[in-house]
PDB file of all heavy atoms in Angstrom:
ATOM      1  N   ILE A1336      33.107  26.583 -36.765  1.00 89.00           N
ATOM      2  CA  ILE A1336      33.544  27.179 -38.024  1.00 89.00           C
ATOM      3  C   ILE A1336      34.804  27.973 -37.731  1.00 89.00           C
ATOM      4  O   ILE A1336      34.771  29.095 -37.223  1.00 89.00           O
ATOM      5  CB  ILE A1336      32.437  28.042 -38.653  1.00 89.00           C
ATOM      6  CG1 ILE A1336      31.222  27.150 -38.928  1.00 89.00           C
ATOM      7  CG2 ILE A1336      32.924  28.710 -39.932  1.00 89.00           C
ATOM      8  CD1 ILE A1336      30.016  27.863 -39.462  1.00 89.00           C
ATOM      9  N   SER A1337      35.944  27.349 -38.015  1.00 88.00           N
ATOM     10  CA  SER A1337      37.254  27.875 -37.625  1.00 88.00           C
ATOM     11  C   SER A1337      37.908  28.571 -38.817  1.00 88.00           C
ATOM     12  O   SER A1337      38.930  28.136 -39.350  1.00 88.00           O
ATOM     13  CB  SER A1337      38.131  26.735 -37.113  1.00 88.00           C
ATOM     14  OG  SER A1337      39.352  27.225 -36.603  1.00 88.00           O
ATOM     15  N   ALA A1338      37.276  29.673 -39.238  1.00 84.00           N
ATOM     16  CA  ALA A1338      37.787  30.473 -40.358  1.00 84.00           C
ATOM     17  C   ALA A1338      37.047  31.794 -40.349  1.00 84.00           C
ATOM     18  O   ALA A1338      35.938  31.881 -39.825  1.00 84.00           O
ATOM     19  CB  ALA A1338      37.581  29.755 -41.685  1.00 84.00           C
ATOM     20  N   SER A1339      37.644  32.816 -40.927  1.00 79.00           N
ATOM     21  CA  SER A1339      36.934  34.077 -41.095  1.00 79.00           C
ATOM     22  C   SER A1339      36.524  34.199 -42.556  1.00 79.00           C
ATOM     23  O   SER A1339      37.158  33.621 -43.434  1.00 79.00           O
ATOM     24  CB  SER A1339      37.828  35.256 -40.685  1.00 79.00           C
ATOM     25  OG  SER A1339      38.995  35.270 -41.478  1.00 79.00           O
ATOM     26  N   PRO A1340      35.434  34.937 -42.815  1.00 75.00           N
ATOM     27  CA  PRO A1340      34.944  35.009 -44.194  1.00 75.00           C
ATOM     28  C   PRO A1340      35.879  35.789 -45.111  1.00 75.00           C
ATOM     29  O   PRO A1340      36.368  36.863 -44.741  1.00 75.00           O
ATOM     30  CB  PRO A1340      33.582  35.707 -44.066  1.00 75.00           C
ATOM     31  CG  PRO A1340      33.627  36.417 -42.753  1.00 75.00           C
ATOM     32  CD  PRO A1340      34.550  35.652 -41.877  1.00 75.00           C
ATOM     33  N   ILE A1341      36.137  35.220 -46.271  1.00 71.00           N
ATOM     34  CA  ILE A1341      36.799  35.982 -47.327  1.00 71.00           C
ATOM     35  C   ILE A1341      35.819  37.066 -47.758  1.00 71.00           C
ATOM     36  O   ILE A1341      34.610  36.813 -47.803  1.00 71.00           O
ATOM     37  CB  ILE A1341      37.155  35.041 -48.512  1.00 71.00           C
ATOM     38  CG1 ILE A1341      38.238  34.047 -48.087  1.00 71.00           C
ATOM     39  CG2 ILE A1341      37.627  35.825 -49.722  1.00 71.00           C
ATOM     40  CD1 ILE A1341      38.469  32.925 -49.063  1.00 71.00           C
ATOM     41  N   PRO A1342      36.278  38.301 -48.061  1.00 66.00           N
ATOM     42  CA  PRO A1342      35.338  39.365 -48.448  1.00 66.00           C
ATOM     43  C   PRO A1342      34.373  38.895 -49.533  1.00 66.00           C
ATOM     44  O   PRO A1342      34.778  38.326 -50.554  1.00 66.00           O
ATOM     45  CB  PRO A1342      36.282  40.468 -48.982  1.00 66.00           C
ATOM     46  CG  PRO A1342      37.538  40.275 -48.225  1.00 66.00           C
ATOM     47  CD  PRO A1342      37.670  38.793 -48.012  1.00 66.00           C
ATOM     48  N   GLY A1343      33.067  39.102 -49.272  1.00 66.00           N
ATOM     49  CA  GLY A1343      32.029  38.701 -50.226  1.00 66.00           C
ATOM     50  C   GLY A1343      31.331  37.413 -49.855  1.00 66.00           C
ATOM     51  O   GLY A1343      30.281  37.079 -50.409  1.00 66.00           O
ATOM     52  N   ASN A1344      31.919  36.641 -48.919  1.00 72.00           N
ATOM     53  CA  ASN A1344      31.319  35.350 -48.549  1.00 72.00           C
ATOM     54  C   ASN A1344      30.442  35.405 -47.302  1.00 72.00           C
ATOM     55  O   ASN A1344      29.909  34.382 -46.879  1.00 72.00           O
ATOM     56  CB  ASN A1344      32.428  34.298 -48.327  1.00 72.00           C
ATOM     57  CG  ASN A1344      33.068  33.866 -49.628  1.00 72.00           C
ATOM     58  OD1 ASN A1344      32.583  34.189 -50.705  1.00 72.00           O
ATOM     59  ND2 ASN A1344      34.159  33.138 -49.536  1.00 72.00           N
ATOM     60  N   ASP A1345      30.290  36.591 -46.715  1.00 77.00           N
ATOM     61  CA  ASP A1345      29.557  36.712 -45.440  1.00 77.00           C
ATOM     62  C   ASP A1345      28.146  36.132 -45.521  1.00 77.00           C
ATOM     63  O   ASP A1345      27.701  35.421 -44.603  1.00 77.00           O
ATOM     64  CB  ASP A1345      29.475  38.182 -45.019  1.00 77.00           C
ATOM     65  CG  ASP A1345      30.838  38.859 -45.023  1.00 77.00           C
ATOM     66  OD1 ASP A1345      31.427  38.970 -46.115  1.00 77.00           O
ATOM     67  OD2 ASP A1345      31.307  39.274 -43.947  1.00 77.00           O
ATOM     68  N   LYS A1346      27.424  36.451 -46.600  1.00 82.00           N
ATOM     69  CA  LYS A1346      26.026  35.985 -46.730  1.00 82.00           C
ATOM     70  C   LYS A1346      25.958  34.463 -46.845  1.00 82.00           C
ATOM     71  O   LYS A1346      25.062  33.835 -46.288  1.00 82.00           O
ATOM     72  CB  LYS A1346      25.367  36.640 -47.947  1.00 82.00           C
ATOM     73  CG  LYS A1346      25.020  38.089 -47.719  1.00 82.00           C
ATOM     74  CD  LYS A1346      24.285  38.659 -48.928  1.00 82.00           C
ATOM     75  CE  LYS A1346      23.927  40.127 -48.707  1.00 82.00           C
ATOM     76  NZ  LYS A1346      23.268  40.702 -49.902  1.00 82.00           N
ATOM     77  N   LEU A1347      26.896  33.881 -47.574  1.00 83.00           N
ATOM     78  CA  LEU A1347      26.904  32.419 -47.743  1.00 83.00           C
ATOM     79  C   LEU A1347      27.093  31.731 -46.392  1.00 83.00           C
ATOM     80  O   LEU A1347      26.409  30.764 -46.063  1.00 83.00           O
ATOM     81  CB  LEU A1347      28.025  31.994 -48.710  1.00 83.00           C
ATOM     82  CG  LEU A1347      27.880  32.353 -50.175  1.00 83.00           C
ATOM     83  CD1 LEU A1347      29.144  32.004 -50.932  1.00 83.00           C
ATOM     84  CD2 LEU A1347      26.682  31.647 -50.798  1.00 83.00           C
ATOM     85  N   ILE A1348      28.040  32.257 -45.598  1.00 86.00           N
ATOM     86  CA  ILE A1348      28.321  31.641 -44.295  1.00 86.00           C
ATOM     87  C   ILE A1348      27.131  31.817 -43.358  1.00 86.00           C
ATOM     88  O   ILE A1348      26.730  30.871 -42.659  1.00 86.00           O
ATOM     89  CB  ILE A1348      29.598  32.253 -43.676  1.00 86.00           C
ATOM     90  CG1 ILE A1348      30.807  31.934 -44.545  1.00 86.00           C
ATOM     91  CG2 ILE A1348      29.829  31.733 -42.266  1.00 86.00           C
ATOM     92  CD1 ILE A1348      32.054  32.691 -44.185  1.00 86.00           C
ATOM     93  N   SER A1349      26.545  33.023 -43.352  1.00 88.00           N
ATOM     94  CA  SER A1349      25.383  33.271 -42.489  1.00 88.00           C
ATOM     95  C   SER A1349      24.254  32.316 -42.814  1.00 88.00           C
ATOM     96  O   SER A1349      23.563  31.801 -41.921  1.00 88.00           O
ATOM     97  CB  SER A1349      24.887  34.707 -42.663  1.00 88.00           C
ATOM     98  OG  SER A1349      25.811  35.613 -42.133  1.00 88.00           O
ATOM     99  N   LYS A1350      24.052  32.059 -44.090  1.00 89.00           N
ATOM    100  CA  LYS A1350      22.990  31.152 -44.527  1.00 89.00           C
ATOM    101  C   LYS A1350      23.213  29.752 -43.959  1.00 89.00           C
ATOM    102  O   LYS A1350      22.286  29.089 -43.464  1.00 89.00           O
ATOM    103  CB  LYS A1350      22.978  31.109 -46.070  1.00 89.00           C
ATOM    104  CG  LYS A1350      21.747  30.490 -46.683  1.00 89.00           C
ATOM    105  CD  LYS A1350      21.817  30.645 -48.200  1.00 89.00           C
ATOM    106  CE  LYS A1350      20.650  29.934 -48.848  1.00 89.00           C
ATOM    107  NZ  LYS A1350      20.753  29.974 -50.331  1.00 89.00           N
ATOM    108  N   VAL A1351      24.459  29.272 -44.019  1.00 89.00           N
ATOM    109  CA  VAL A1351      24.783  27.938 -43.504  1.00 89.00           C
ATOM    110  C   VAL A1351      24.625  27.885 -41.983  1.00 89.00           C
ATOM    111  O   VAL A1351      24.051  26.948 -41.436  1.00 89.00           O
ATOM    112  CB  VAL A1351      26.215  27.524 -43.947  1.00 89.00           C
ATOM    113  CG1 VAL A1351      26.665  26.262 -43.215  1.00 89.00           C
ATOM    114  CG2 VAL A1351      26.275  27.311 -45.443  1.00 89.00           C
ATOM    115  N   ILE A1352      25.143  28.915 -41.292  1.00 89.00           N
ATOM    116  CA  ILE A1352      25.035  28.943 -39.831  1.00 89.00           C
ATOM    117  C   ILE A1352      23.572  28.941 -39.389  1.00 89.00           C
ATOM    118  O   ILE A1352      23.179  28.198 -38.486  1.00 89.00           O
ATOM    119  CB  ILE A1352      25.777  30.188 -39.261  1.00 89.00           C
ATOM    120  CG1 ILE A1352      27.291  30.033 -39.433  1.00 89.00           C
ATOM    121  CG2 ILE A1352      25.438  30.413 -37.786  1.00 89.00           C
ATOM    122  CD1 ILE A1352      28.088  31.278 -39.104  1.00 89.00           C
ATOM    123  N   ASN A1353      22.752  29.755 -40.053  1.00 91.00           N
ATOM    124  CA  ASN A1353      21.325  29.800 -39.709  1.00 91.00           C
ATOM    125  C   ASN A1353      20.668  28.444 -39.885  1.00 91.00           C
ATOM    126  O   ASN A1353      19.849  28.013 -39.071  1.00 91.00           O
ATOM    127  CB  ASN A1353      20.608  30.843 -40.567  1.00 91.00           C
ATOM    128  CG  ASN A1353      20.928  32.259 -40.137  1.00 91.00           C
ATOM    129  OD1 ASN A1353      21.162  32.514 -38.958  1.00 91.00           O
ATOM    130  ND2 ASN A1353      20.951  33.190 -41.073  1.00 91.00           N
ATOM    131  N   GLU A1354      21.029  27.755 -40.971  1.00 90.00           N
ATOM    132  CA  GLU A1354      20.410  26.452 -41.248  1.00 90.00           C
ATOM    133  C   GLU A1354      20.853  25.404 -40.211  1.00 90.00           C
ATOM    134  O   GLU A1354      20.059  24.564 -39.785  1.00 90.00           O
ATOM    135  CB  GLU A1354      20.769  25.988 -42.663  1.00 90.00           C
ATOM    136  CG  GLU A1354      19.936  24.837 -43.184  1.00 90.00           C
ATOM    137  CD  GLU A1354      18.448  25.154 -43.275  1.00 90.00           C
ATOM    138  OE1 GLU A1354      18.087  26.331 -43.457  1.00 90.00           O
ATOM    139  OE2 GLU A1354      17.644  24.201 -43.140  1.00 90.00           O
ATOM    140  N   LEU A1355      22.116  25.464 -39.804  1.00 91.00           N
ATOM    141  CA  LEU A1355      22.602  24.536 -38.776  1.00 91.00           C
ATOM    142  C   LEU A1355      21.855  24.754 -37.455  1.00 91.00           C
ATOM    143  O   LEU A1355      21.421  23.799 -36.802  1.00 91.00           O
ATOM    144  CB  LEU A1355      24.110  24.721 -38.564  1.00 91.00           C
ATOM    145  CG  LEU A1355      25.023  24.246 -39.706  1.00 91.00           C
ATOM    146  CD1 LEU A1355      26.455  24.723 -39.475  1.00 91.00           C
ATOM    147  CD2 LEU A1355      24.995  22.725 -39.848  1.00 91.00           C
ATOM    148  N   PHE A1356      21.699  26.014 -37.074  1.00 91.00           N
ATOM    149  CA  PHE A1356      20.926  26.318 -35.856  1.00 91.00           C
ATOM    150  C   PHE A1356      19.478  25.827 -35.996  1.00 91.00           C
ATOM    151  O   PHE A1356      18.900  25.261 -35.064  1.00 91.00           O
ATOM    152  CB  PHE A1356      20.923  27.827 -35.574  1.00 91.00           C
ATOM    153  CG  PHE A1356      22.125  28.299 -34.808  1.00 91.00           C
ATOM    154  CD1 PHE A1356      22.909  29.350 -35.287  1.00 91.00           C
ATOM    155  CD2 PHE A1356      22.481  27.730 -33.591  1.00 91.00           C
ATOM    156  CE1 PHE A1356      24.013  29.801 -34.575  1.00 91.00           C
ATOM    157  CE2 PHE A1356      23.579  28.174 -32.868  1.00 91.00           C
ATOM    158  CZ  PHE A1356      24.353  29.217 -33.364  1.00 91.00           C
ATOM    159  N   ARG A1357      18.897  26.063 -37.168  1.00 89.00           N
ATOM    160  CA  ARG A1357      17.500  25.667 -37.408  1.00 89.00           C
ATOM    161  C   ARG A1357      17.307  24.179 -37.228  1.00 89.00           C
ATOM    162  O   ARG A1357      16.264  23.704 -36.796  1.00 89.00           O
ATOM    163  CB  ARG A1357      17.085  26.112 -38.809  1.00 89.00           C
ATOM    164  CG  ARG A1357      15.596  25.966 -39.101  1.00 89.00           C
ATOM    165  CD  ARG A1357      15.229  26.522 -40.470  1.00 89.00           C
ATOM    166  NE  ARG A1357      15.208  27.981 -40.442  1.00 89.00           N
ATOM    167  CZ  ARG A1357      16.005  28.766 -41.154  1.00 89.00           C
ATOM    168  NH1 ARG A1357      16.917  28.233 -41.956  1.00 89.00           N
ATOM    169  NH2 ARG A1357      15.908  30.074 -41.074  1.00 89.00           N
ATOM    170  N   ARG A1358      18.327  23.420 -37.538  1.00 88.00           N
ATOM    171  CA  ARG A1358      18.223  21.955 -37.448  1.00 88.00           C
ATOM    172  C   ARG A1358      18.686  21.417 -36.096  1.00 88.00           C
ATOM    173  O   ARG A1358      18.877  20.210 -35.932  1.00 88.00           O
ATOM    174  CB  ARG A1358      19.007  21.307 -38.587  1.00 88.00           C
ATOM    175  CG  ARG A1358      18.384  21.615 -39.955  1.00 88.00           C
ATOM    176  CD  ARG A1358      19.141  20.990 -41.097  1.00 88.00           C
ATOM    177  NE  ARG A1358      18.524  21.375 -42.368  1.00 88.00           N
ATOM    178  CZ  ARG A1358      17.512  20.743 -42.930  1.00 88.00           C
ATOM    179  NH1 ARG A1358      16.992  19.670 -42.345  1.00 88.00           N
ATOM    180  NH2 ARG A1358      17.017  21.152 -44.076  1.00 88.00           N
ATOM    181  N   GLY A1359      18.931  22.330 -35.157  1.00 86.00           N
ATOM    182  CA  GLY A1359      19.185  21.893 -33.775  1.00 86.00           C
ATOM    183  C   GLY A1359      20.629  21.700 -33.395  1.00 86.00           C
ATOM    184  O   GLY A1359      20.918  21.215 -32.301  1.00 86.00           O
ATOM    185  N   ALA A1360      21.564  22.085 -34.260  1.00 87.00           N
ATOM    186  CA  ALA A1360      22.992  21.910 -33.926  1.00 87.00           C
ATOM    187  C   ALA A1360      23.471  23.094 -33.089  1.00 87.00           C
ATOM    188  O   ALA A1360      22.906  24.185 -33.121  1.00 87.00           O
ATOM    189  CB  ALA A1360      23.822  21.813 -35.205  1.00 87.00           C
ATOM    190  N   GLU A1361      24.545  22.867 -32.353  1.00 90.00           N
ATOM    191  CA  GLU A1361      25.243  23.941 -31.656  1.00 90.00           C
ATOM    192  C   GLU A1361      26.339  24.433 -32.604  1.00 90.00           C
ATOM    193  O   GLU A1361      27.112  23.629 -33.138  1.00 90.00           O
ATOM    194  CB  GLU A1361      25.868  23.409 -30.353  1.00 90.00           C
ATOM    195  CG  GLU A1361      26.559  24.454 -29.514  1.00 90.00           C
ATOM    196  CD  GLU A1361      25.598  25.473 -28.920  1.00 90.00           C
ATOM    197  OE1 GLU A1361      24.406  25.144 -28.702  1.00 90.00           O
ATOM    198  OE2 GLU A1361      26.035  26.610 -28.700  1.00 90.00           O
ATOM    199  N   VAL A1362      26.391  25.747 -32.856  1.00 90.00           N
ATOM    200  CA  VAL A1362      27.355  26.285 -33.810  1.00 90.00           C
ATOM    201  C   VAL A1362      28.248  27.314 -33.117  1.00 90.00           C
ATOM    202  O   VAL A1362      27.763  28.255 -32.484  1.00 90.00           O
ATOM    203  CB  VAL A1362      26.661  26.940 -35.027  1.00 90.00           C
ATOM    204  CG1 VAL A1362      27.700  27.270 -36.108  1.00 90.00           C
ATOM    205  CG2 VAL A1362      25.578  26.035 -35.597  1.00 90.00           C
ATOM    206  N   ILE A1363      29.552  27.126 -33.218  1.00 89.00           N
ATOM    207  CA  ILE A1363      30.521  28.048 -32.657  1.00 89.00           C
ATOM    208  C   ILE A1363      31.284  28.680 -33.821  1.00 89.00           C
ATOM    209  O   ILE A1363      31.804  27.978 -34.694  1.00 89.00           O
ATOM    210  CB  ILE A1363      31.530  27.314 -31.739  1.00 89.00           C
ATOM    211  CG1 ILE A1363      30.790  26.478 -30.690  1.00 89.00           C
ATOM    212  CG2 ILE A1363      32.479  28.313 -31.083  1.00 89.00           C
ATOM    213  CD1 ILE A1363      29.963  27.259 -29.706  1.00 89.00           C
ATOM    214  N   TYR A1364      31.305  30.009 -33.852  1.00 85.00           N
ATOM    215  CA  TYR A1364      32.047  30.691 -34.916  1.00 85.00           C
ATOM    216  C   TYR A1364      32.754  31.889 -34.307  1.00 85.00           C
ATOM    217  O   TYR A1364      32.600  32.207 -33.121  1.00 85.00           O
ATOM    218  CB  TYR A1364      31.137  31.082 -36.076  1.00 85.00           C
ATOM    219  CG  TYR A1364      29.855  31.770 -35.663  1.00 85.00           C
ATOM    220  CD1 TYR A1364      29.719  33.148 -35.715  1.00 85.00           C
ATOM    221  CD2 TYR A1364      28.760  31.017 -35.212  1.00 85.00           C
ATOM    222  CE1 TYR A1364      28.551  33.770 -35.343  1.00 85.00           C
ATOM    223  CE2 TYR A1364      27.583  31.621 -34.841  1.00 85.00           C
ATOM    224  CZ  TYR A1364      27.485  33.002 -34.898  1.00 85.00           C
ATOM    225  OH  TYR A1364      26.317  33.631 -34.509  1.00 85.00           O
ATOM    226  N   ASP A1365      33.552  32.578 -35.121  1.00 74.00           N
ATOM    227  CA  ASP A1365      34.526  33.533 -34.593  1.00 74.00           C
ATOM    228  C   ASP A1365      33.887  34.701 -33.848  1.00 74.00           C
ATOM    229  O   ASP A1365      34.498  35.276 -32.959  1.00 74.00           O
ATOM    230  CB  ASP A1365      35.413  34.053 -35.734  1.00 74.00           C
ATOM    231  CG  ASP A1365      36.776  34.515 -35.246  1.00 74.00           C
ATOM    232  OD1 ASP A1365      37.251  33.967 -34.235  1.00 74.00           O
ATOM    233  OD2 ASP A1365      37.353  35.425 -35.857  1.00 74.00           O
ATOM    234  N   ASP A1366      32.641  35.059 -34.197  1.00 70.00           N
ATOM    235  CA  ASP A1366      31.977  36.160 -33.479  1.00 70.00           C
ATOM    236  C   ASP A1366      31.628  35.763 -32.037  1.00 70.00           C
ATOM    237  O   ASP A1366      31.450  36.620 -31.180  1.00 70.00           O
ATOM    238  CB  ASP A1366      30.696  36.571 -34.211  1.00 70.00           C
ATOM    239  CG  ASP A1366      31.006  37.293 -35.517  1.00 70.00           C
ATOM    240  OD1 ASP A1366      32.176  37.694 -35.692  1.00 70.00           O
ATOM    241  OD2 ASP A1366      30.104  37.440 -36.354  1.00 70.00           O
ATOM    242  N   LEU A1367      31.483  34.459 -31.793  1.00 66.00           N
ATOM    243  CA  LEU A1367      31.096  33.982 -30.468  1.00 66.00           C
ATOM    244  C   LEU A1367      32.304  33.622 -29.603  1.00 66.00           C
ATOM    245  O   LEU A1367      32.374  33.945 -28.424  1.00 66.00           O
ATOM    246  CB  LEU A1367      30.189  32.743 -30.579  1.00 66.00           C
ATOM    247  CG  LEU A1367      28.830  32.929 -31.263  1.00 66.00           C
ATOM    248  CD1 LEU A1367      28.105  31.597 -31.292  1.00 66.00           C
ATOM    249  CD2 LEU A1367      27.997  33.961 -30.530  1.00 66.00           C
ATOM    250  N   GLU A1368      33.225  32.882 -30.187  1.00 70.00           N
ATOM    251  CA  GLU A1368      34.409  32.395 -29.455  1.00 70.00           C
ATOM    252  C   GLU A1368      35.638  32.595 -30.346  1.00 70.00           C
ATOM    253  O   GLU A1368      35.536  32.657 -31.571  1.00 70.00           O
ATOM    254  CB  GLU A1368      34.259  30.896 -29.139  1.00 70.00           C
ATOM    255  CG  GLU A1368      33.054  30.537 -28.290  1.00 70.00           C
ATOM    256  CD  GLU A1368      33.343  30.654 -26.810  1.00 70.00           C
ATOM    257  OE1 GLU A1368      34.467  31.057 -26.466  1.00 70.00           O
ATOM    258  OE2 GLU A1368      32.447  30.342 -26.015  1.00 70.00           O
ATOM    259  N   GLU A1369      36.799  32.632 -29.708  1.00 78.00           N
ATOM    260  CA  GLU A1369      38.035  32.771 -30.490  1.00 78.00           C
ATOM    261  C   GLU A1369      38.432  31.401 -31.041  1.00 78.00           C
ATOM    262  O   GLU A1369      39.156  30.631 -30.403  1.00 78.00           O
ATOM    263  CB  GLU A1369      39.165  33.333 -29.616  1.00 78.00           C
ATOM    264  CG  GLU A1369      40.358  33.789 -30.443  1.00 78.00           C
ATOM    265  CD  GLU A1369      41.486  34.362 -29.597  1.00 78.00           C
ATOM    266  OE1 GLU A1369      41.337  34.450 -28.376  1.00 78.00           O
ATOM    267  OE2 GLU A1369      42.507  34.718 -30.202  1.00 78.00           O
TER     268      GLU A1369
END
């Protein structure tokens, strides 16, 4: 996920990231890697 959240979108992105992890995918986003 090569973008930072627009203010107000944090919850939407977290929901998607959690679901991707739940389904077994590897997820890289700005908090983990640049």
